[in-house]
Amino acid sequence: MSTTPATYRAPTPYDSPSTQIGPAGSPVRRGPRDDVPALTFTALVRVEFVKMFNTRSGFWLMASIAILSVLASGAVILFGGENAITYANFSAAVGMPIAILLPMLAILSVTSEWSQRTGLTTFTLVPHRGRVITGKALVTVSIGIVGILVAMGVGALGNLLGAAVHDIDPVWEFGFTDLLMVMLANVLGMLMGFTLGVVLRNSPAAIVGYFVYSLILPNVFGALAFYQESFADVWPWVDQFYNVTSLFERVPSDQEWVQLAVTTVIWMGVPLLVGLRFLFRSEIK
Amino acid sequence: MITIDALSKRYGGFLAVDDVSFTAQPGRVTGFLGPNGAGKSTTMRVMVGLTPPTTGAALVNGRHFADLPNPGREVGVLLDASAQHAGRTGRDILKVAALTMGLPLSRVDEMLGLVGLSDEEATRRVRHYSLGMRQRLGIAAALLGDPHVLILDEPANGLDPAGIRWMRDLLRTFADDGGTVLLSSHLLHEIEVIADDLVLIGNGRIVAQGTKTDLLAAAGTVVRGTDVDALAVALKAAGLHVTRTPDKALHTDASPDMVGRVALAAGVALTELRSADGAGLEEMFLELTAASQREGVAA
């Protein structure tokens, strides 16, 4: 085979690259380009949105929220008795998978820039790391809220279907405030994932970190309170996961709101600030 | 135009880039040459704001990279063709970049055509790309915003000979149109055929820089004649430093023009007279970087 460019893969472009590189009428490439529009935050948010869906892992993470909600609702109808057919049960069933999946989504939205090394391109095209991270946070939380609504909607359909199957009147007993609390709990869960992503900038480490936070720490706190009675009074002031989880069950009292706020500052506010500081100064390789 | 001004980067006790200054001019291809680990990639990352410098500055068209209103439209960057999400398709990678820069998506297909990635290849996930395909995708991404400056780190890696030739033509045209091209390589031959200017770096320090012509002239002249001994005597008599090469030619620091005139005066018929380009520059490259090479040069 000849090595002339004309016979290499796509013939035409190789013959005259000059006519192909830029749009017609821009043969001269000198000096700064003040003719181009500046980057916009809207475009950045749109890009982050597209990036959430156009990878295989991102797509299936999203799809699994819908799929698992359907499966969870189906399980309540199949295995729950007549008494189990209440919206509270359906929302708890669909809430379980999303409470785990949404933080993962938040983690990967940040860490994939490092673990998949896409940050090399992302932060070159947009050399303002704060803007990129803010865009990611906005997109992640928005997708999370839509995800919650989808899951709760599937749960509502499940409740209707279950009531029809068992030939009873659907039991709702789930108000707007309850929905808000579920939203808040999930958004806080996502922000915790986001924080771990910012601090650790590594997908496996951040995912493990989230499970330490949600599975191991609560047990450690429980054990502490069991062996050290004085700790029991301090517990609600240090265990954020417990405070977040109780949002699924009830609207917090005034004191519980303060406890939620204090633990959120300790577990998310401070690490996020420190993590962002390092992230802004770090070297992206 | 790229201006690097007294740039240094220190990692703990290790000085990766040591007081580096050079410019890459518009209308010219500047080759950034050095052995692996010499500091080329670090310098390039500093240029695009991915690595904060310890001291000094890198300016693109007179501005810090972060101050460019839309960097992708001004500077095409390819630092590592493998740094892409393995689960994303080639087309989606370009689409994301085009959206970021505010370009119409038609530009994506134009660029795929330019680098010769077929529709079928563009819809494959990058996980299944060869290094050569990734490299061409990276070049497509760099050219997407129709920039005036190109910063390419080892862009010929993984390309087949025809692909390397194609890229050479593309960069030549880009520079002839007035664009600034900075490309790095650790392979001398690769960069010698394309670059107008050369910057040689070893151990974080610039060891030589200048136009390729000047550096080649510094590499001297190789000459052969019917009577090599007489020629050597004549050249020495003219005050030139002469060495014999193993293949019975003579090497001198003087220009071919000078050597020709000496030979004419001495009445020696020449069978070959040329500047000691390839070999000469290579020797210089090895010599200049020998001290800084990790393994040293094998005897």
Side-chain angles (χ1 to χ4, degrees), chain A residues 30-280:
Chain A
R30 269 178 202 277
R33 294 198 64 180
D34 293 318
D35 54 324
V36 296
L39 295 167
T40 64
F41 188 66
T42 325
L44 180 60
V45 169
R46 183 169 168 214
V47 165
E48 288 304 330
F49 185 79
V50 169
K51 278 158 82 178
M52 294 288 254
F53 288 92
N54 72 5
T55 66
R56 196 168 271 182
S57 54
F59 174 80
W60 282 108
L61 211 51
M62 247 41 112
S64 56
I65 291 175
I67 295 166
L68 288 174
S69 305
V70 171
L71 289 179
S73 299
V76 175
I77 297 173
L78 280 179
F79 305 114
E82 201 178 296
N83 295 336
I85 308 298
T86 69
Y87 189 62
N89 277 337
F90 279 98
S91 75
V94 300
M96 190 96 87
I98 57 173
I100 296 169
L101 288 174
L102 291 181
M104 299 300 122
L105 196 74
I107 287 171
L108 292 179
S109 82
V110 181
T111 55
S112 67
E113 299 283 1
W114 279 267
S115 287
Q116 296 279 345
R117 300 186 58 222
T118 48
L120 232 57
T121 305
T122 305
F123 296 112
T124 303
L125 288 178
V126 186
H128 309 281
R129 300 182 193 178
R131 258 196 253 172
V132 174
I133 298 295
T134 311
K136 283 181 186 298
L138 264 177
V139 167
T140 309
V141 170
S142 312
I143 288 178
I145 289 175
V146 172
I148 296 160
L149 291 176
V150 167
M152 300 303 273
V154 170
L157 288 177
N159 194 26
L160 286 175
L161 186 66
V165 167
H166 290 273
D167 200 18
I168 54 170
D169 286 332
V171 185
W172 295 105
E173 288 172 2
F174 191 87
F176 184 66
T177 325
D178 298 310
L179 180 64
L180 281 184
M181 291 305 114
V182 169
M183 293 262 191
L184 180 61
N186 275 304
V187 167
L188 286 173
M190 291 184 89
L191 289 178
M192 188 64 209
F194 201 83
T195 301
L196 283 162
V198 166
V199 170
L200 297 169
R201 283 175 265 141
N202 174 296
S203 304
I207 290 170
V208 169
Y210 188 80
F211 284 112
V212 168
Y213 158 80
S214 61
L215 297 177
I216 297 180
L217 267 183
N219 286 318
V220 171
F221 286 135
L224 263 177
F226 183 78
Y227 291 112
Q228 190 71 46
E229 253 176 62
S230 60
F231 179 74
D233 300 331
V234 188
W235 190 4
W237 295 98
V238 292
D239 189 349
Q240 195 218 10
F241 188 71
Y242 173 82
N243 292 332
V244 170
T245 316
S246 60
L247 289 171
F248 286 108
E249 286 147 25
R250 58 175 187 277
V251 178
S253 69
D254 287 352
Q255 189 187 8
E256 283 170 330
W257 277 120
V258 176
Q259 287 167 342
L260 179 63
V262 167
T263 50
T264 300
V265 168
I266 297 172
W267 287 97
M268 275 165 46
V270 174
L272 189 62
L273 281 180
V274 175
L276 283 174
R277 217 177 143 76
F278 278 103
L279 187 151
F280 291 158

Side-chain angles (χ1 to χ4, degrees), chain B residues 254-280:
Chain B
S255 66
D257 172 60
M258 173 83 176
V259 173
R261 271 185 277 131
V262 171
L264 180 63
V268 177
L270 297 185
T271 53
E272 186 180 3
L273 174 66
R274 60 179 172 86
S275 53
D277 41 50

Side-chain angles (χ1 to χ4, degrees), chain B residues 105-119:
Chain B
L105 293 182
S106 59
R107 189 76 187 145
V108 169
D109 292 305
E110 268 175 60
M111 286 303 107
L112 286 169
L114 174 69
V115 301
L117 284 173
S118 70
D119 278 353

